[in-house]
Amino acid sequence: MEIALETPVRATLAVERNKADTWSVGFYLIDADGRRDRRCLGVYESDVDATEAVRTFWTKLAL
């Protein structure tokens, strides 16, 4: 089976410190050719708040 290069093959969720000295939660879709498409899921005052937002999202995620 051949996968088209623009097909997302991996997703990454990251807590990142940004230039405004706040924290954001970013979601990346990574294509087969390595290209990343990023979306910001939220901006938070602290790393603890951002991590808690990820934890809340994860517990609500239906697998």
Side-chain angles (χ1 to χ4, degrees):
M1 182 171 128
E2 191 170 315
I3 297 174
L5 292 179
E6 70 275 0
T7 302
V9 294
R10 185 173 57 202
T12 301
L13 190 65
V15 175
E16 305 166 320
R17 186 174 212 150
N18 56 40
K19 292 178 184 178
D21 205 27
T22 56
W23 294 82
S24 59
V25 177
F27 182 76
Y28 295 87
L29 285 178
I30 302 157
D31 296 343
D33 65 353
R35 190 178 62 84
R36 294 184 292 167
D37 182 21
R38 181 185 184 279
R39 296 289 185 265
C40 181
L41 301 180
V43 177
Y44 304 91
E45 290 297 318
S46 73
D47 58 337
V48 174
D49 294 339
T51 303
E52 194 57 40
V54 171
R55 184 171 290 144
T56 300
F57 169 77
W58 187 258
T59 58
K60 291 180 180 181
L61 184 66
L63 298 177

